[in-house]
Amino acid sequence: MFLEFPGLGGMLASMRSLAASKGQPMSMPRISRFFLLPMILLALGGGCHHSSNPNAPGTPPSITLQPVDTSTVSGRPVTFTITATGAAVISYQWAKVQLDGTGKIISSIDILGALSPSYTFYSPQSADAGRYAVTVTNDIGTVTSYAAALTVVPTPEFNAAVGVAFDAAGNLYVSDRDDHVIWKVSSTKQVTLLAGTQGIAGSSDGQGSGASFRNPGCLAFDPTSATLVVADTGNHTIRRVAADGTVTTLAGAAGVPGTTDGGAAQARFNAPYGIALDASGRIYIADSRNHTIRFMALDGTVSTYAGSAGLPGYLDGAAGNARFSEPNGLALASSGVLYVADFGNSCIRAISPNPNALVSTLAGLAGTVGYADATGKAALFNQPVGISLDASGNIWVADTYNHAIRSITPAGVVHVIAGSGTAGNIDGSGNDDANYL
């Protein structure tokens, strides 16, 4: 059964009949006033009304995007931001707050001039760490945001950082040559002293500060043992550092330079610097002042991989006949090719894997110092030291005395990534060629 709502004419007739039955005749104008007035009021919005507009008049403020906890290092800018809706004339006031054990704000200190939906710390310091909230106000009401935490980690300060290595968890290890220590920087930028004592040189094995180094050089992380391998350059030894900071000597004799191949205890080095490990944990060593590349097997036996001890020079060819001049950084490709930053020759060399290892020049003109992008020997470097590989096989080079970072494709094409060939300390875009990868 359906009910039919009467039309306007039917409603007027019914109203007239009702009035007549009560002995009260109703004229048309009177009927019109009785019926049309509510209709007009409804048309003008005088009836019940609900708006879905969050910024409609009469709507109190509401925060739709809360500030989030964040962390930074000293001096690195960081910003808190919110989004709020509500009636017009919304105002903001950021404050540093304190919470009780239940998370309720118990005190706050307004920040002068922090009157917008976002607040930026342009040079945060340790004293800025804490919780921050913003109060949003309009003519209808007030609301306070979540109290977001700001963590400010002190900027790591190194005296002379020369070696770096990462582990699988994202921890960074740094050798500080002049402070004679190894640092650990966690993925959250927490800095701890892993081994050695700042400013104190020595050669002791032990744990943490009970161990000592002398001008440590490059590092490599060994995933097979979850330890670091360190070229302890000033001690002429190869050391290992465990996760708990325990240091042991793998090969060489502290303070005794030499050229001897043989078992770990009998082997001698002369200022070893560069380190590279293969997937099995075998170690390649740039024995810089012996002008050779050495190899340490899993049983600790040390042999000369390329070059001839005590004979600096430049010569490509069979590994035993090749010549280097103070080789420094090493990088080992998955193919087995070993790349060498040949510091004294200002070029980048490549050694094919055994058997029949051959040495060739990938880029740079031996004995010629310069600063030029090109391919192969047409490119020029100025005593490069650091070297590494990316996942695509490109070689990244710290071109030391050109004060630049260079990149070399597997085909030997050299590009400047950052730096201009002159010393300085300016942040900004690296170079117009930086996007070539």
Side-chain angles (χ1 to χ4, degrees), residues 29-120:
R30 185 178 176 186
I31 294 173
S32 299
R33 289 196 302 272
F34 180 84
F35 179 75
L36 293 179
L37 181 58
M39 298 294 290
I40 294 171
L41 290 174
L42 285 172
L44 294 176
C48 295
H49 177 73
H50 174 73
S51 173
S52 61
N53 180 3
N55 295 315
T59 304
S62 175
I63 297 174
T64 56
L65 178 66
Q66 295 281 355
V68 297
D69 297 344
T70 189
S71 63
T72 187
V73 297
S74 297
R76 181 181 297 168
V78 65
T79 300
F80 286 124
T81 299
I82 70 158
T83 300
T85 60
V89 195
I90 292 180
S91 64
Y92 304 86
Q93 177 62 67
W94 288 89
K96 189 173 186 180
V97 302
Q98 287 188 332
L99 308 180
D100 64 13
T102 66
K104 180 181 178 181
I105 295 175
I106 56 175
S107 67
S108 65
I109 300 175
D110 288 349
I111 301 171
L112 184 64
L115 306 174
S116 70
S118 63
Y119 178 60
T120 298

Side-chain angles (χ1 to χ4, degrees), residues 14 26 72 79 98 111 165 176 200 237 256-257 272 287 320 347 358 363 398 416 427:
S14 297
M26 182 176 288
T72 187
T79 300
Q98 287 188 332
I111 301 171
D176 193 329
I200 299 178
T237 55
V256 184
D287 196 0
C347 59
L358 295 175
V416 175
D427 289 340

